[in-house]
Amino acid sequence: MYDITQRDSLDACTGWFRDLRVRVRVRVRVRVRVRVLDVYRKTWSHPPTRRALANVPNVMIMDDHEIRDDWGDDPDDHMTDSMEHFIARCGYRVFCEYQGQLYSHVPGLQHPVSDEFLATKQHRIFRIARIGFVLVDMRCARTFNFRPGVDASNSMLGQDQWADIDEALSPGGLVADCDTLIFGSGVPLLFYTTKLNDFLGSNCKDSDDLLGHWSNSRHKKEQARVLRLLRGWKKKDRSRNQILLIGGDVHVGGFTTLYDYEEDKTLANPLALQLFSSSIGNSQFNAFTQLGIRMMGGDLNPFVDGHECVHHTFHFKHHHWTPQRNYGLVWILNNLHSPTGDRLRCQLILSDPEAKKIVPGLQLSINDELPPAVSCGCAVL
């Protein structure tokens, strides 16, 4: 939405902002809102976007670029007395007007939306038949809805969101009797290890968004909590078939297989399959950067024997990465008609028009044996 690159200038503006009279703030809020509205109108009226939104049901989870690059990664983003937070909240109002109505009723279609609606939770937990969906909010919980002293120990999702997730997956919860679970977040649950993640995030400006990843040292505890929660949910009932993790915002697409070493020391039976896809229109890294990303933590990592260990009892293996523009598809199948008993199958599809041909992409499910190409890191896309 906007970008403030000079921290000194921001601090000076924040001091000036605190001295603004209320009626001046109102005028500023209106002007910012109009600017953001123009962006939404221009973007949503783009013919391909307009056609997709008109024909495909969708659930929107707010990410950082609805406000500002890496919004929420800086602990100061939840400080309500700063100019940056004030401008961000103006953008958040517009987000709720456009995106909030897709999921929740806006009383009286108020424009701008009320403060009461702004305080609503932005995570989504629902079910379709026996498939449960848990789509977590990694941005509002850390900023607009953050409560100092209450959410400090759960800096990624916040206490209220965790309570809703625990309740939904507990006996009698909304998705307790589902046989398949889809867990989605703005970034992959599994990407780099903590040491590599924090080193790159702290020392490479172009990689500072890694400081907002699950494996960052500030959020590592909640990553472990998610992994244990998923393992507990699946182990409680043998009829629970599959867990799919979905994510994006890393400028590559690919798959990850998650193993539970505590349950299976042979690492033969996956706990979950992860699909991450981004983006359908992103600017690609140069070839050297692409190779570095894949060698440091991806499917070409030469420093491990194919598996990364996370939180002692979990292992994960990346495979079939592609730096080309892509999008992901997930098929929900009827077990009776699936020869392998799969409920879900995932596919990455390349979206570059210059490919000059339709690329069918790679299809995988959690029960598939990984192709031989994985062992040498070759992507079949």
Side-chain angles (χ1 to χ4, degrees), residues 332-343 345:
I332 298 176
L333 308 173
N334 187 328
N335 293 55
L336 296 176
H337 301 289
S338 172
T340 60
D342 295 323
R343 170 71 84 175
R345 290 195 69 83

Side-chain angles (χ1 to χ4, degrees), residues 223-372:
Q223 181 192 45
R225 184 174 176 180
V226 171
L227 293 173
R228 290 193 296 267
L229 188 67
L230 296 176
R231 175 174 63 190
W233 178 84
K234 190 172 183 180
K235 287 175 62 176
K236 284 180 181 177
D237 191 335
R238 291 187 176 182
S239 67
R240 291 173 178 170
N241 190 322
Q242 293 175 303
I243 298 175
L244 175 65
L245 311 174
I246 55 177
D249 200 22
V250 288
H251 295 269
V252 292
F255 294 88
T256 310
T257 304
L258 171 64
Y259 300 92
D260 178 11
Y261 188 73
E262 182 177 83
E263 184 72 14
D264 179 10
K265 296 190 180 336
T266 66
L267 301 182
N269 300 302
L271 173 66
L273 178 70
Q274 176 175 257
L275 165 68
F276 51 95
S277 173
S278 62
S279 150
I280 197 170
N282 66 286
S283 298
Q284 297 184 43
F285 295 115
N286 59 52
F288 180 79
T289 303
Q290 292 175 13
L291 181 63
I293 291 173
R294 295 179 65 185
M295 289 188 67
M296 284 186 293
D299 59 340
L300 293 182
N301 190 340
F303 304 111
V304 296
D305 60 357
H307 295 88
E308 296 272 19
C309 180
V310 57
H311 304 295
H312 307 295
T313 61
F314 297 97
H315 289 246
F316 65 91
K317 179 181 180 67
H318 292 308
H319 47 93
H320 298 93
W321 282 28
T322 175
Q324 299 185 57
R325 298 184 182 96
N326 63 86
Y327 61 93
L329 289 178
V330 178
W331 278 275
I332 298 176
L333 308 173
N334 187 328
N335 293 55
L336 296 176
H337 301 289
S338 172
T340 60
D342 295 323
R343 170 71 84 175
L344 304 173
R345 290 195 69 83
C346 308
Q347 184 176 32
L348 271 178
I349 300 179
L350 303 189
S351 56
D352 274 335
E354 56 266 28
K356 299 181 180 179
K357 64 179 181 178
I358 298 175
V359 182
L362 171 70
Q363 294 188 36
L364 280 179
S365 77
I366 192 172
N367 293 321
D368 285 339
E369 181 179 352
L370 299 183

Side-chain angles (χ1 to χ4, degrees), residues 11 21 33 44 73 96 159 169 178 196 204 218-219 242 269 290 293 302 307 323 354 362 369 374 378 381:
D11 290 341
R21 291 175 297 177
R33 176 175 173 270
W44 284 29
D73 293 351
C96 288
Q159 182 171 299
L169 270 66
C178 293
L196 178 60
C204 301
R218 289 192 297 130
H219 310 307
Q242 293 175 303
N269 300 302
Q290 292 175 13
I293 291 173
H307 295 88
E354 56 266 28
L362 171 70
E369 181 179 352
V374 173
C378 299
L381 287 173

Side-chain angles (χ1 to χ4, degrees), residues 39-261:
V39 174
Y40 266 97
R41 289 164 180 158
K42 180 179 179 180
T43 304
W44 284 29
S45 62
H46 181 54
T49 303
R50 182 175 60 199
R51 182 180 179 186
L53 292 175
N55 290 277
V56 180
N58 63 89
V59 176
M60 171 68 182
I61 298 295
M62 195 189 92
D63 205 17
D64 56 337
H65 285 269
E66 271 63 62
I67 304 298
R68 183 213 67 206
D69 188 31
D70 301 336
W71 173 251
D73 293 351
D74 187 337
D76 292 339
D77 285 342
H78 61 73
M79 297 178 62
T80 58
D81 60 346
S82 69
M83 185 186 71
E84 190 163 356
H85 191 97
F86 172 81
I87 296 176
R89 198 165 185 83
C90 295
Y92 180 46
R93 285 180 181 273
V94 180
F95 164 82
C96 288
E97 289 181 28
Y98 273 78
Q99 303 284 13
Q101 295 183 66
L102 299 176
Y103 188 83
S104 303
H105 173 62
V106 178
L109 291 179
Q110 299 169 352
H111 299 289
V113 295
S114 66
D115 289 337
E116 182 180 359
F117 186 81
L118 290 178
T120 57
K121 301 170 183 177
Q122 290 301 321
H123 56 278
R124 309 291 182 231
I125 302 176
F126 59 96
R127 59 182 296 163
I128 299 176
R130 296 198 66 193
I131 299 177
F133 294 80
V134 177
L135 308 178
V136 300
D137 160 39
M138 303 173 58
R139 302 298 173 180
C140 292
R142 284 192 277 172
T143 54
F144 305 119
N145 296 335
F146 183 83
R147 297 171 300 172
V150 177
D151 297 322
S153 61
N154 296 297
S155 58
M156 178 68 88
L157 302 184
Q159 182 171 299
D160 288 347
Q161 186 172 187
W162 269 116
D164 288 348
I165 295 172
D166 289 338
E167 180 182 358
L169 270 66
S170 63
L174 181 61
V175 299
D177 63 340
C178 293
D179 59 24
T180 302
L181 183 65
I182 297 178
F183 181 93
S185 61
V187 297
L189 180 63
L190 303 161
F191 197 60
Y192 287 158
T193 57
T194 297
K195 288 185 178 179
L196 178 60
N197 182 92
D198 289 0
F199 174 80
L200 294 175
S202 300
N203 294 281
C204 301
K205 177 60 179 175
D206 291 340
S207 302
D208 59 0
D209 55 339
L210 291 173
L211 298 178
H213 275 223
W214 290 94
S215 55
N216 175 255
S217 54
R218 289 192 297 130
H219 310 307
K220 186 177 179 180
K221 183 181 71 172
E222 288 179 87
Q223 181 192 45
R225 184 174 176 180
V226 171
L227 293 173
R228 290 193 296 267
L229 188 67
L230 296 176
R231 175 174 63 190
W233 178 84
K234 190 172 183 180
K235 287 175 62 176
K236 284 180 181 177
D237 191 335
R238 291 187 176 182
S239 67
R240 291 173 178 170
N241 190 322
Q242 293 175 303
I243 298 175
L244 175 65
L245 311 174
I246 55 177
D249 200 22
V250 288
H251 295 269
V252 292
F255 294 88
T256 310
T257 304
L258 171 64
Y259 300 92
D260 178 11
Y261 188 73

